[in-house]
Amino acid sequence: MDHLIDHIRDNSSRLDPLPTGEIMRNTGVSPVGIHQDDTHRRDACAPFPPLLGMRAVVFDIYGTLFISGSGDISLAKKEDRSPAIIASLETAGFKVTNPDANWSASFLQSVDDFRQQRMDQGIEFPEVRIQEVWEAFIEQAMSDDWLEAASACPERAKRVEWAIVDHECRVNPCWPMPNLDETLRWIEDRELKLGIVSNAQFYTPLLFPGLMESTIEDYGFNPDYSVWSYIEREGKPSQNLYRKLKDNLTKDNIVPGEVLYVGNDLRNDIWPAQRCGFRTALFAGDARSLRWREDDESCKHIRPDFVITDLTQIKQIV
């Protein structure tokens, strides 16, 4: 994986968060996560007594720990990506023979086909494993004479992963959120457990060594408390991801009320985390990724316990 980490490092550049107009605040949520007066209270700034007895902090990745140029992991987007796909295939050593083909439509169809397979198995929020998507996509491209068949070589699996990482760097550039290192070190020093629930792919954990020069393990994230959509083959807001986290924490005698979950999306992060009994903080630090879901009726009565605009504000909560 070292060459992929180097590729992320060499093909990433600084991003700054975009202002959201939000302020840090306690939203007035009751312990069970129901808002008291059914309004956002965005002008309210209640006192901040810290939550007592907290033992774990769990994070989303894209739009929370890392600035995401697209506002989310790239698979959530449906924009035309033909130029990026062609460039990534060529970067990885594939020879494109039909640059005028509709590469984007073929790729997105491959994504949809794999998701449909999971939906046919009864999965409400299916997730793909991106290597499988690209392998099928490349096979189809060779069959259609868009790629040279000679691309099928013993090194192809490595080439495919290289193309995937290069493509992600092109369509969804990422950069650490301000004060990320300081915040994670502070949490670890407090001997709080660290975890993740994230829509992700195999390359997502590589953002840490690629952009932070420390691995995810170096920061103290516990693998038992880290739930990745591509491993579970389910994506947010599936309750199953959060239930798995809850079950693993319970094995270590950590109850949901002792856990703070931090994410940038009211539907994908706050809603399922609250249903498991976790305390929640909506991260409103970047306009690209902040999702209040105001037009989603299912989220109408959902409010986080806290709204924060900088990761260091977690220190005032736990």
Side-chain angles (χ1 to χ4, degrees), residues 67-230:
I67 297 169
S68 165
S70 69
D72 201 345
I73 191 169
S74 66
L75 287 179
K77 302 298 178 181
K78 294 287 187 179
E79 76 279 355
D80 178 28
R81 55 183 75 196
S82 289
I85 291 170
I86 292 170
S88 296
L89 286 168
E90 292 178 336
T91 295
F94 292 93
K95 185 173 181 180
V96 174
T97 56
N98 187 355
D100 297 324
N102 194 339
W103 291 86
S104 185
S106 179
F107 174 77
L108 293 174
Q109 185 61 57
S110 185
V111 173
D112 288 343
D113 288 346
F114 276 92
R115 283 182 170 153
Q116 187 60 52
Q117 290 177 22
R118 292 290 285 158
M119 291 183 71
D120 291 344
Q121 296 169 8
I123 305 302
E124 184 178 4
F125 302 105
E127 180 63 284
V128 303
R129 290 186 180 175
I130 196 62
Q131 295 101 317
E132 295 176 349
V133 171
W134 275 77
E135 285 282 3
F137 163 65
I138 287 171
E139 284 290 340
Q140 185 62 52
M142 289 192 295
S143 175
D144 293 337
D145 295 324
W146 295 3
L147 283 176
E148 271 194 2
S151 297
C153 65
E155 292 291 309
R156 196 173 94 179
K158 291 183 179 180
R159 289 193 191 187
V160 169
E161 289 189 343
W162 186 6
I164 292 169
V165 169
D166 183 82
H167 178 258
E168 186 69 12
C169 288
R170 293 175 188 274
V171 302
N172 187 27
C174 293
W175 197 254
M177 281 289 176
N179 304 313
L180 174 56
D181 180 82
E182 172 191 342
T183 301
L184 294 182
R185 301 292 185 193
W186 182 87
I187 293 171
E188 186 180 22
D189 289 345
R190 287 283 306 275
E191 298 185 351
L192 296 169
K193 305 297 185 182
L194 272 166
I196 288 170
V197 177
S198 182
N199 283 347
Q201 290 296 328
F202 78 94
Y203 49 75
T204 304
L206 304 183
L207 292 174
F208 287 87
L211 302 179
M212 304 283 289
E213 299 188 356
S214 293
T215 68
I216 198 167
E217 293 82 10
D218 291 338
Y219 282 110
F221 282 93
N222 188 325
D224 291 336
Y225 307 151
S226 297
V227 184
W228 307 94
S229 64
Y230 74 99

Side-chain angles (χ1 to χ4, degrees), residues 6 12 39 58 64 73 89 103 241 249 256 279 298 303:
D6 290 340
S12 299
T39 65
V58 181
T64 301
I73 191 169
L89 286 168
W103 291 86
L241 304 179
L249 288 163
R279 307 305 295 266
S298 67
R303 297 292 177 269

Side-chain angles (χ1 to χ4, degrees), residues 13-46:
S13 56
R14 181 184 177 89
L15 292 172
D16 293 315
L18 302 179
T20 63
E22 299 286 346
I23 58 172
M24 181 188 182
R25 62 193 181 280
N26 181 326
T27 62
V29 176
S30 71
V32 293
I34 305 299
H35 195 273
Q36 293 172 345
D37 61 8
D38 205 21
T39 65
H40 279 178
R41 294 179 63 188
R42 294 194 180 187
D43 296 324
C45 190

